[in-house]
Amino acid sequence: MKYRKMIGTDINASAITLGTWVMGGGEWWGSDHDDKRYIDTIHAAIDSGINVIDTAMGYGGGHSEEVVGMAIKGQREKLVIASKASADVLTSDTAQKTVEDSLRRLDTDYIDIYFIHWPEPGISVAANMEAMEKLRDKGLIKYIGVSNFTTRHMDIARTVGTINVFQPAYSLLWRNIEHEFLPYCVKNDIGVMTYSSMAMGLLTGKYKKGHEFEDGDIRKDTVALFGGELFLESLEAVKKLAVIAKRNGMTVAQAAINWVFSQPGISTAIVGARTPKQLEENLKAVDFTISGADLKEMDAITKDIKKEVADWDTMYFKTAPAFEIKE
C-alpha cells in the first residue's frame, strides 16, 4: 500500500480508502447483501494496509456504520474512520445527537473525520460549521469535512471554523473539480478524499451499448453519464481507456483508480467493494505506475466528456437545490 500525508491533518492516508456505501443495504443498494461478507471485506482491506474507511449515516439508515463498527473491533486505534450526515441534522439543536448516534453504531468514542454530507437549502452553512466545531472541542470528532459543497459554501464555513477535508465525486469521466476545487483546496490546506472513482461502475468496462438497467436503478434517469448520447460517448471512451490499461497490465477499472490518486492534490481515493475478491482486484491499482505519456492520453480521451458536463452542479443533478446558498 502507498500512503501520503493528507494536508490539513496529521493523517498518513492509504492511497485507497475503503468505501462502504454498498454495505448499507436497502433497495438502492441492490439485493445482494451479506453482512458477514462485508465484514470479511473490511478485514481484508485492513490486512492489505488500507487504513481509512468511509461510511455515512445515510448509507442504509446507519446500517453501514454498524457493519463498520462490528468489523473494526480490536483494531480501531490504527484506523481512520470517516462518516457523514446531511446539513439538516447537523444544526445546533441536533448535531450532537446525530454524531453520538454515529458513535454508537460505530462502537467508538470518537470519529476521525465527520463530514457535512450535503448542504441543504435554507440551512445555514455557518451554523452547521459552528455546531461541528463544538463537537470537535468536545473530542467527539477530530477533523471536519464537507462533501458536495461549492467553493462559496466552503468560504462561508471557513469564516467560523476550519475545514480539514473535502469529499467530491471525481473520476476520469467526472472531472468538474479540476478547474476550481482542487486549486482551492491546495491553497487553503484542505485534504481531498474523492468518491466514485469508477464513475458509478462505468469505468469497470461491464456496460455495453443497449444495456438494460433494472427497474429502480437511479443511474439511467438521474446520473449524467448514464443518459442518452453521453452514455454512448462514455462507453467509447472506456474502450479507448481499456487499450491503455491493457498495455500497462491493468484492467480499465484498475487504471481508472490509479489515475485518480495520481492526480495532484488528491489525498486518497474512495473505492468500494462487495467482496474480498473484488477488493483484491481493486488493490492491484496501487501496484502500477502509469507513465506520464499514458496519463496524458487518458486525459485527452475524456476531455470532451469533461466539457459536456461542465455545467452540471453534481453528477446526479444538473441543477442541485442543495447548492442554494444560505449563509
Side-chain angles (χ1 to χ4, degrees):
M1 181 55 62
K2 296 176 181 176
Y3 301 88
R4 61 190 62 169
K5 175 74 162 51
M6 183 181 289
I7 63 172
T9 76
D10 63 0
I11 295 169
N12 196 32
S14 47
I16 288 178
T17 288
L18 179 65
T20 63
W21 178 82
V22 73
M23 299 180 189
E27 59 182 352
W28 281 18
W29 291 263
S31 58
D32 180 23
H33 291 288
D34 183 338
D35 285 353
K36 182 184 182 304
R37 188 182 71 220
Y38 293 153
I39 291 170
D40 289 344
T41 302
I42 294 171
H43 288 165
I46 297 169
D47 290 344
S48 76
I50 287 177
N51 66 349
V52 188
I53 300 173
D54 180 79
T55 183
M57 183 192 84
Y59 299 168
H63 186 65
S64 172
E65 289 180 322
E66 292 173 342
V67 172
V68 172
M70 289 185 282
I72 65 173
K73 287 184 187 299
Q75 305 188 77
R76 171 68 183 96
E77 293 306 314
K78 65 182 182 182
L79 299 172
V80 175
I81 303 300
S83 195
K84 343 174 186 46
S86 59
D88 60 339
V89 293
L90 290 173
T91 64
S92 59
D93 294 334
T94 59
Q96 182 158 335
K97 182 181 186 306
T98 296
V99 172
E100 286 175 344
D101 286 345
S102 286
L103 291 168
R104 173 180 50 77
R105 290 188 290 264
L106 288 161
D107 195 18
T108 184
D109 56 3
Y110 71 98
I111 296 171
D112 297 276
I113 312 170
Y114 208 85
F115 290 87
I116 305 171
H117 202 163
W118 286 89
E120 291 281 346
I123 303 292
S124 165
V125 175
N128 282 145
M129 198 66 183
E130 287 174 352
M132 296 286 279
E133 286 289 4
K134 288 178 181 177
L135 297 177
R136 192 202 311 255
D137 290 343
K138 293 179 179 180
L140 301 183
I141 61 177
K142 289 182 68 176
Y143 299 110
I144 296 172
V146 296
S147 182
N148 305 303
F149 270 43
T150 65
T151 54
R152 176 60 183 145
H153 283 111
M154 287 193 273
D155 280 340
I156 295 166
R158 290 175 56 244
T159 63
V160 295
T162 301
I163 298 172
N164 303 109
V165 189
F166 176 49
Q167 188 180 118
Y170 188 49
S171 71
L172 270 162
L173 297 176
W174 187 266
R175 297 169 52 186
N176 289 10
I177 67 171
E178 291 177 349
H179 175 67
E180 181 181 7
F181 290 91
L182 282 179
Y184 181 97
C185 289
V186 170
K187 178 182 177 181
N188 293 294
D189 292 326
I190 298 171
V192 180
M193 173 192 289
T194 62
Y195 71 87
S196 199
S197 302
M198 288 182 280
M200 299 190 79
L202 254 179
L203 286 162
T204 63
K206 69 180 181 181
Y207 292 99
K208 310 297 180 189
K209 184 178 179 179
H211 180 84
E212 292 290 332
F213 292 90
E214 293 181 9
D215 290 343
D217 192 320
I218 65 169
R219 289 174 293 186
K220 69 180 188 301
D221 296 320
T222 62
V223 179
L225 298 170
F226 286 82
E229 287 299 315
L230 194 54
F231 180 58
L232 300 180
E233 290 177 42
S234 298
L235 294 180
E236 287 302 310
V238 171
K239 286 181 184 178
K240 295 175 183 177
L241 292 168
V243 174
I244 299 173
K246 186 175 181 179
R247 69 177 178 237
N248 281 275
M250 308 167 76
T251 66
V252 66
Q254 290 162 354
I257 295 166
N258 186 293
W259 181 89
V260 171
F261 64 68
S262 297
Q263 300 309 300
I266 304 302
S267 304
T268 181
I270 299 173
V271 180
R274 287 180 179 269
T275 67
K277 182 178 179 180
Q278 193 177 72
L279 173 77
E280 182 182 357
E281 285 299 306
N282 292 339
L283 285 171
K284 291 176 183 176
V286 180
D287 298 333
F288 298 87
T289 299
I290 301 177
S291 71
D294 280 348
L295 289 172
K296 285 183 180 179
E297 188 176 347
M298 294 167 79
D299 176 85
I301 288 168
T302 58
K303 68 179 182 180
D304 287 343
I305 293 172
K306 173 183 173 180
K307 291 177 183 176
E308 289 186 53
V309 296
D311 62 341
W312 279 62
D313 285 346
T314 78
M315 68 178 183
Y316 307 104
F317 310 105
K318 186 166 187 177
T319 303
F323 283 6
E324 296 174 13
I325 301 295
K326 174 70 173 177
E327 301 206 11

